[in-house]
């Protein structure tokens, strides 16, 4: 039986009928794709591991009665942005979610040759920037759409052993907030979702490798990341999810602070002329 309990025609009309999710094979990406399908959107799944994407695609089709296509793609390649856009070629796309951005290198900055860092920079800066330009151009032309950038709280400060990861997340945060300011008046929503430690298969593997219990630190649930990202897409520029927060609504309070920061920086515009 098809589950129609969470269908959201308003969401589909604004951000559908097709949604593209990169890094969709598991964890937050899979949850984002699942929630988009639950709302009634067709989904383009993109990641490197096609077998996992195919398995998820079958579940989404059977459970929600939507169309799903899956593409294997390594986003660290030089033409990754063009290939990502091609994954949605011919489809009426209304939303793209950038979820592929973890640090698969890690370690001290000088412990590895620079060539090993370049792939992370290619994906987290060059690919992200070009892909945002490509998709935003299409969304502005059609007068609607959305961009979600799943980031990290590492964007707020440098982090030992994660120098380039935290640097690229800071770049993505500023890019997303700037695009929010520019694109919102054109009918396109942009949202940064910054997450702390999140309960994903990848993080559990890290815990296991280091003989740590998954209960060692509070973890944000991947489904909560998906819910906040899609349910608050119009509430940019930035939301922050952290299981360590104890305020009644830290996400909302932080969002409002980021909105004020971005809007109050508008005095810089006189250096560059009118929008």
């Amino acid at each position: 039986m098809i589950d129609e309990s969470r269908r959201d025609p308003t969401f589909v009309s604004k951000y559908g009928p097709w949604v593209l999710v990169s890094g969709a094979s598991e964890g937050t990406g899979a949850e984002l794709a699942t929630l988009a399908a639950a709302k009634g959107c067709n989904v383009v799944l993109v990641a490197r591991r096609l077998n996992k994407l195919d398995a998820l695609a079958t579940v989404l089709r059977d459970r929600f009665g939507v169309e799903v296509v899956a593409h294997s793609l390594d986003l660290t390649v030089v033409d990754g942005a063009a290939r990502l856009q091609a994954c949605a070629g011919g489809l009426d796309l209304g939303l793209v979610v950038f979820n592929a951005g973890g640090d698969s290198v890690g370690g001290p900055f000088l412990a590895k040759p620079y060539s090993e860092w370049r792939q992370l920079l290619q994906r987290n800066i060059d690919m992200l920037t070009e892909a945002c330009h490509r998709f935003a151009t299409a969304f502005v032309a059609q007068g609607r759409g959305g961009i979600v950038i799943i980031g990290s709280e590492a964007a707020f400060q440098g982090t030992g052993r994660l120098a380039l990861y935290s640097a690229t997340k800071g770049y993505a945060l500023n890019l997303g907030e700037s695009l929010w300011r520019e694109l919102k008046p054109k009918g396109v929503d942009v949202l940064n979702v910054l997450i702390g430690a999140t309960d994903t298969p990848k993080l559990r593997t890290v815990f296991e490798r280091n003989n740590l219990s998954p209960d060692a630190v509070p973890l944000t649930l991947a489904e909560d990341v998906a819910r906040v990202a899609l349910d608050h897409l119009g509430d940019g520029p930035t939301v922050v999810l952290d299981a360590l927060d104890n305020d009644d609504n830290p996400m909302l309070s932080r969002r409002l602070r980021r909105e004020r920061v971005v809007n109050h920086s508008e005095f810089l515009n006189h250096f560059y002329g009118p929008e």
Side-chain angles (χ1 to χ4, degrees), residues 22 28-29 32 96-103 123-124 128 147-157 165-177 190-198 200 220 225-226 228-229 237-242:
S22 68
T28 55
L32 283 156
V96 59
V97 179
F98 295 102
N99 180 66
D103 184 359
R123 182 194 60 203
N124 287 10
L128 175 65
I147 295 172
V148 174
I149 301 173
I150 304 298
S152 168
E153 283 191 304
F156 291 136
Q157 70 283 314
Y165 175 78
S166 61
T168 62
K169 293 306 178 182
Y171 174 89
L173 170 62
N174 283 278
L175 174 66
E177 291 188 336
V190 181
L191 180 68
N192 289 302
V193 181
L194 304 189
I195 60 178
T198 302
T200 64
T220 300
V225 175
V228 168
T238 299
V239 295
V240 183
L241 285 88
D242 191 330

Side-chain angles (χ1 to χ4, degrees), residues 167-245:
T168 62
K169 293 306 178 182
Y171 174 89
L173 170 62
N174 283 278
L175 174 66
E177 291 188 336
S178 299
L179 295 182
W180 168 80
R181 179 62 183 85
E182 291 188 24
L183 300 180
K184 185 74 171 179
K186 302 178 186 299
V188 180
D189 293 321
V190 181
L191 180 68
N192 289 302
V193 181
L194 304 189
I195 60 178
T198 302
D199 192 356
T200 64
K202 184 175 182 179
L203 183 59
R204 285 182 173 267
T205 298
V206 172
F207 280 3
E208 183 177 353
R209 185 168 62 240
N210 291 281
N211 296 316
L212 295 173
S213 167
D215 300 323
V217 295
L219 298 177
T220 300
L221 298 178
E223 52 264 40
D224 286 342
V225 175
R227 174 182 53 79
V228 168
L230 299 191
D231 289 355
H232 293 272
L233 180 50
D235 299 329
T238 299
V239 295
V240 183
L241 285 88
D242 191 330
L244 293 174
D245 280 321

